[in-house]
Amino acid sequence: MFKSPATKASTGPLPLSGLQLPERGQKVLVAVSGGLDSMVLLHALHASAAGQGWKLAVAHFNHRLRGRASDADEACVAKTAAALKLPFYAAEADVKGVAAKERISVEMAARRLRHEFLARTARLHGIHTIAVAHHADDQVELFFLRLLRGAGGTGLGGMQWRSPSPTDERIFLVRPLLEVSKAVLEEFARENRIRYREDATNRLHDFLRNRIRHELLPLLRKKYQPGLNKTVLRSMEIAGAESGLIAELARAWLNRQPFWGAREKKAGSGSGFVQAEFEKLPPAIQRQILVAQTIQLGVTPDFELIESMRLSSHKPVAVNAHMSLSRDVLGKVSQRPLRTATFNETRLVVKLDRPGQTLFDRLKLKWKTGPRRMDNVPGPQAGTEFFDADKLGEEILLRFWKAGDRFQPIGLKSKAKLQDLFTNAKIPRAKRHGLIVGEAAGGIFWVEGLRISETFKITGQTKRVLTWNWQR
């Protein structure tokens, strides 16, 4: 647990304004990558450790993503830990290999492997607190990252000072720098001559978070809101507090504890909640009631799953290949085995030699071909994709997904089973059988709901562009 931002260490000076303090006498495992943020965190905690009675240890995970640079990061952290006379624990893994094998993003694989190592190390040494170096600028980036992905109030509330480890709920992550800006960290590092490693990948624009950091946020600060950090952090605080209240109201309803607006108003009904009133509750509370029960059943909730259950009672919603969830009129969520879906053999041949449109299983499709303008490369548009018309040819086939289909999404070096891609995209099994596939002579060029094909994308050699538009 952390004291309030205004709380000062009882012994010794606080080395960094705004630093949140762990409770006295705790063992703390400090996660240190070697970058600015984590090296400042390590030095700041170490400066107050004696006065607070903390027993610090340093943990470093080598992702092996940058060759010798990754090894140099580890060496830097090990040297710093030795200079501070702190225990040092390290591990490494082939993150890219794991990501490819499990068909997940490198970021997702790195995060999971890193947290598994930290939790494992903490358990081994009897430590229940892991300090990580997230700071105020990370919060702002996270806000826009989640906003662009359609998060609700809980997600937009951002990171908390203290939260369970994603791989072991008995171990807690603490974030001492969460109210400290990047600029303050940089100043602290300069004043105290703290050595750190610069990760060159942080400057690359391949990852959405980096594009938010280097493109979106500077634009917003320059053109729209100079005090962006302050306003966003304030919005996150409001969103987090309000979503927390909604979650408490949902728990109260589930436990049949009375709260405003949900009492049965009929005479003689008594106080407290009646589950038959689920459909009369505000939508926000309905969603949280369903979220809480879904998590209890071991299923990760997403908006489509929760909304499908909220809007219709007794309607099964597939969550994986074997199970579906549904809720009754009382708001109770239950699970049941999923019936095996059958493949739809309907197909339609489409001629692309002239502009046209068609309707295929309630999916309205339009297309047209035109010369590529070298000074005007089409940008992303909702419900529209662009292809190299000559690679597609003049005739394509519309059909449904079938077992054994392979597809190479743009950015991937080789083809993968569509079934695996659906799984990674968390598309329910029942829904997969209703997705439309576009197939040319050279293979599948388009799958409804997924990225376009690497094979048929527009390149510098493209002469004609096919504009492909769809709408359900």
Side-chain angles (χ1 to χ4, degrees):
M1 180 179 291
F2 281 82
K3 301 175 183 178
S4 67
T7 302
K8 299 291 183 178
S10 58
T11 305
L14 260 181
L16 185 63
S17 176
L19 184 70
Q20 305 295 296
L21 298 181
E23 289 185 342
R24 293 179 60 87
Q26 281 191 336
K27 290 182 177 180
V28 182
L29 183 66
V30 188
V32 184
S33 68
L36 166 71
D37 312 336
S38 60
M39 293 294 269
V40 167
L41 172 65
L42 175 60
H43 282 82
L45 291 178
H46 181 261
S48 293
Q52 293 295 317
W54 299 327
K55 295 181 180 179
L56 304 182
V58 179
H60 175 83
F61 185 72
N62 187 336
H63 299 87
R64 290 168 54 186
L65 292 173
R66 295 164 32 246
R68 292 181 179 178
S70 292
D71 295 334
D73 293 345
E74 181 177 339
C76 176
V77 177
K79 183 177 180 180
T80 302
L84 298 176
K85 298 181 180 179
L86 297 176
F88 174 70
Y89 310 112
E92 64 178 37
D94 179 11
V95 171
K96 283 187 177 178
V98 172
K101 182 179 179 180
E102 299 185 10
R103 300 190 184 280
I104 59 177
S105 69
V106 172
E107 289 175 291
M108 187 180 298
R111 181 178 185 275
R112 195 197 75 207
L113 293 169
R114 181 172 64 251
H115 279 294
E116 287 176 351
F117 157 69
L118 292 172
R120 185 171 62 249
T121 303
R123 284 195 304 271
L124 184 63
H125 299 281
I127 301 173
H128 300 285
T129 300
I130 300 173
V132 292
H134 296 122
H135 50 78
D137 291 59
D138 288 331
Q139 281 279 63
V140 174
E141 291 170 13
L142 182 63
F143 176 85
F144 284 99
L145 187 67
R146 290 180 172 176
L147 180 68
L148 295 174
R149 291 175 175 171
T154 301
L156 296 180
M159 296 175 284
Q160 304 301 309
W161 300 114
R162 183 174 185 267
S163 61
S165 161
T167 60
D168 190 337
E169 60 182 13
R170 299 166 297 178
I171 295 171
F172 285 86
L173 303 181
V174 294
R175 300 175 176 88
L177 303 178
L178 207 51
E179 280 195 352
V180 183
S181 70
K182 184 82 168 183
V184 171
L185 297 181
E186 291 171 343
E187 182 181 0
F188 181 80
R190 284 194 301 270
E191 290 179 351
N192 292 274
R193 298 181 180 179
I194 295 175
R195 296 181 59 190
Y196 60 89
R197 297 273 302 167
E198 192 73 52
D199 186 347
T201 61
N202 288 334
R203 295 191 296 270
L204 299 179
H205 290 202
D206 296 349
F207 302 116
L208 178 57
R209 180 184 281 273
N210 285 355
R211 294 199 297 275
I212 290 172
R213 177 184 302 158
H214 298 299
E215 297 175 355
L216 178 60
L217 296 185
L219 174 66
L220 293 176
R221 291 186 179 108
K222 181 178 180 180
K223 297 288 187 179
Y224 299 95
Q225 176 52 272
L228 187 68
N229 276 28
K230 182 179 179 180
T231 57
V232 169
L233 292 173
R234 182 174 60 207
S235 296
M236 295 180 79
E237 169 63 27
I238 293 170
E242 292 179 351
S243 64
L245 172 61
I246 293 171
E248 287 184 18
L249 295 176
R251 284 193 294 270
W253 188 90
L254 284 167
N255 295 327
R256 305 197 178 189
Q257 298 171 352
F259 68 91
W260 59 270
R263 291 177 181 270
E264 181 68 60
K265 295 182 179 179
K266 294 180 181 179
S269 64
S271 61
F273 295 109
V274 179
Q275 287 194 344
E277 286 211 11
F278 173 84
E279 310 227 8
K280 296 181 181 180
L281 296 173
I285 298 176
Q286 289 178 338
R287 293 186 182 112
Q288 283 300 318
I289 288 170
L290 299 176
V291 165
Q293 295 179 84
T294 302
I295 292 174
Q296 286 181 347
L297 292 172
V299 176
T300 301
D302 59 41
F303 181 79
E304 286 76 16
L305 168 63
I306 297 302
E307 203 67 357
S308 295
M309 290 195 293
R310 186 182 75 83
L311 295 175
S312 301
S313 63
H314 301 291
K315 179 185 177 181
V317 184
V319 295
N320 56 42
H322 310 289
M323 183 179 69
S324 67
L325 297 182
S326 64
R327 64 105 179 157
D328 60 20
V329 293
L330 304 177
K332 182 179 180 181
V333 177
S334 59
Q335 59 184 2
R336 66 183 66 180
L338 186 66
R339 294 179 180 177
T340 303
T342 58
F343 290 98
N344 191 326
E345 297 296 333
T346 306
R347 26 181 83 208
L348 176 68
V349 175
V350 172
K351 300 284 188 179
L352 302 178
D353 54 345
R354 64 185 65 183
Q357 64 180 40
T358 190
L359 187 66
F360 187 75
D361 188 56
R362 294 177 297 162
L363 186 72
K364 187 176 182 180
L365 294 146
K366 294 181 181 180
W367 60 89
K368 63 179 180 180
T369 302
R372 180 191 176 191
R373 292 178 55 188
M374 302 304 294
D375 60 340
N376 185 19
V377 179
Q381 300 178 27
T384 303
E385 296 289 1
F386 303 93
F387 299 93
D388 187 314
D390 294 314
K391 291 180 181 178
L392 284 177
E394 295 188 353
E395 183 177 286
I396 58 100
L397 176 69
L398 292 176
R399 61 174 177 81
F400 293 91
W401 165 63
K402 64 182 180 181
D405 275 343
R406 300 183 72 85
F407 177 63
Q408 183 180 1
I410 190 168
L412 263 65
K413 295 182 179 180
S414 60
K415 291 183 178 181
K417 286 185 178 181
L418 260 182
Q419 180 174 335
D420 295 334
L421 296 174
F422 288 149
T423 300
N424 290 339
K426 298 182 180 180
I427 298 174
R429 186 177 181 86
K431 186 177 179 180
R432 302 173 193 176
H433 291 262
L435 295 181
I436 309 301
V437 168
E439 185 175 17
I444 295 174
F445 68 91
W446 173 77
V447 181
E448 183 185 359
L450 294 183
R451 290 173 287 173
I452 68 171
S453 168
E454 172 73 23
T455 306
F456 299 92
K457 70 181 182 180
I458 296 174
T459 67
Q461 289 71 47
T462 298
K463 296 180 180 179
R464 296 189 307 135
V465 173
L466 177 82
T467 302
W468 183 258
N469 177 269
W470 71 95
Q471 180 181 7
R472 278 205 177 272

